[in-house]
Amino acid sequence: MARYKPDCGYIYDQLDRLFPQAHCELDYGSIFQLTVAVMLSAQTTDVSVNKVTPALFEAYPDAHAMAKADPLEVEPYIRTCGLYHNKAKNLVATAKALVEHYGGEVP
């Protein structure tokens, strides 16, 4: 049975028409960094995330770097975002999965 695939171009066009000034409030330099910032944004504000990501991204600029980290090493960078124990574990696990399955790139 064939599955329906929506025309994403149409959806993006309609969203752009409805919200022409919309932009992401999170600061990032790559798709990996955006993924990390979005993961950190759970239960906190974008302002809080943007305060911690410069130092975090300096230490772990890509999935390869973060995949080598121990979650305990990541925690101090993100402590003020709340839920930092689980977020650190999930960030490192995500980075490892990206390296293992996608060569470090976000699909």
Side-chain angles (χ1 to χ4, degrees):
M1 178 178 209
R3 295 183 66 189
Y4 171 72
K5 291 185 179 179
D7 177 1
C8 290
Y10 172 78
I11 293 168
Y12 292 139
D13 289 344
Q14 294 305 308
L15 287 170
D16 191 43
R17 184 181 63 76
L18 292 169
F19 306 102
Q21 303 300 322
H23 65 280
C24 182
E25 295 291 332
L26 297 169
D27 297 332
Y28 61 95
S30 69
I31 297 301
F32 171 73
Q33 291 181 357
L34 175 60
T35 302
V36 168
V38 169
M39 291 174 71
L40 289 174
S41 70
Q43 303 299 311
T44 193
T45 65
D46 292 347
V47 171
S48 295
V49 172
N50 288 338
K51 287 180 183 177
V52 303
T53 51
L56 179 67
F57 295 156
E58 184 174 332
Y60 308 104
D62 56 33
H64 294 281
M66 190 169 286
K68 295 175 187 171
D70 183 290
L72 292 174
E73 298 169 337
V74 175
E75 286 182 5
Y77 291 97
I78 64 171
R79 187 175 307 273
T80 59
C81 285
L83 306 172
Y84 64 94
H85 294 298
N86 285 330
K87 287 180 182 182
K89 285 191 284 188
N90 289 324
L91 290 174
V92 172
T94 298
K96 286 180 179 181
L98 289 172
V99 169
E100 181 179 338
H101 299 291
Y102 301 102
E105 299 298 320
V106 177

